Amino acid sequence: NVASVNYFANLGCKKIWLSPELTFEQISDLISKSPDLSFGIFIMGPQELMIMRHCVLMSEDECSRKCNVCDRRKKPHYLLDRKGYEFPVVTTKKGNCHIYNSVSLDLCHCIHELIDAGVDSFLIDTTLKDEDEAIQAVSRASEAIEGSVEKSQNRTTGHLFRPVI
């Protein structure tokens, strides 16, 4: 919100990274009320939904509590919801679980509208991607900036066009 942006600007911040929960209208409004700041937004990749201190990998078998050397962390893990969607789970060396959305975010087809609204920096998260997928993601964003790209199938625009209720 504007009060938060002003608070951080008064502390000397020069760039604000916008919440992925904001709608396009909220982004435009916030930027228009803070013309002296630079704004960035996350445009592509898996959206982190939750961090848990409890390790879900413990449910597979007895746990040694040696998270930093746990072999279970080497293979992909997912939480399955009632509709059959798989939510990727990444466990850290400290045993924390990062749970990601089952559908990756892709705002590349909206990049010019975001630029027109005043966004000047874009983040691509390659956390769950291999090297080739990361290169493809960066290429897609570059192509969008230089021209345009079609809306991706099987990807979400997050809350850009639908507010958090």
Side-chain angles (χ1 to χ4, degrees):
N1 63 33
V2 174
S4 297
V5 168
N6 291 336
Y7 175 81
F8 287 107
N10 289 333
L11 290 176
C13 290
K14 304 290 183 214
K15 178 179 287 294
I16 302 291
W17 284 94
L18 298 165
S19 168
E21 295 180 346
L22 295 175
T23 64
F24 184 77
E25 290 79 22
Q26 292 168 325
I27 290 168
S28 298
D29 183 56
L30 192 62
I31 292 173
S32 70
K33 292 178 180 170
S34 310
D36 298 332
L37 293 173
S38 175
F39 289 87
I41 193 166
F42 167 50
I43 61 164
M44 185 184 287
Q47 289 182 284
E48 189 171 56
L49 301 177
M50 181 186 311
I51 301 172
M52 295 186 344
R53 293 188 78 185
H54 173 75
C55 177
V56 297
L57 304 184
M58 294 172 73
S59 65
E60 288 183 10
D61 200 357
E62 197 167 322
C63 179
S64 69
R65 302 219 183 262
K66 296 179 182 175
C67 303
N68 60 330
V69 294
C70 179
D71 285 337
R72 295 178 204 160
R73 291 180 50 243
K74 294 179 182 175
K75 65 178 183 165
H77 289 83
Y78 303 90
L79 294 178
L80 187 66
D81 77 358
R82 62 181 167 72
K83 293 183 178 181
Y85 288 101
E86 293 181 336
F87 293 77
V89 176
V90 176
T91 307
T92 67
K93 291 181 179 182
K94 293 184 178 183
N96 295 328
C97 286
H98 296 255
I99 301 172
Y100 293 90
N101 195 351
S102 61
V103 181
S104 285
L105 180 75
D106 186 344
L107 301 180
C108 286
H109 67 285
C110 304
I111 208 159
H112 290 287
E113 289 86 351
L114 291 166
I115 291 169
D116 290 345
V119 176
D120 60 25
S121 298
F122 302 99
L123 174 72
I124 300 169
D125 186 344
T126 60
T127 299
L128 301 178
K129 298 183 182 306
D130 62 26
E131 184 178 351
D132 289 337
E133 292 169 327
I135 290 168
Q136 288 173 0
V138 172
S139 295
R140 178 170 167 75
S142 295
E143 184 180 330
I145 290 170
E146 292 171 10
S148 66
V149 295
E150 294 293 318
K151 184 177 188 291
S152 291
Q153 298 297 314
N154 303 318
R155 298 287 183 259
T156 183
T157 54
H159 294 286
L160 197 61
F161 302 107
R162 89 177 163 253
V164 175
I165 298 175

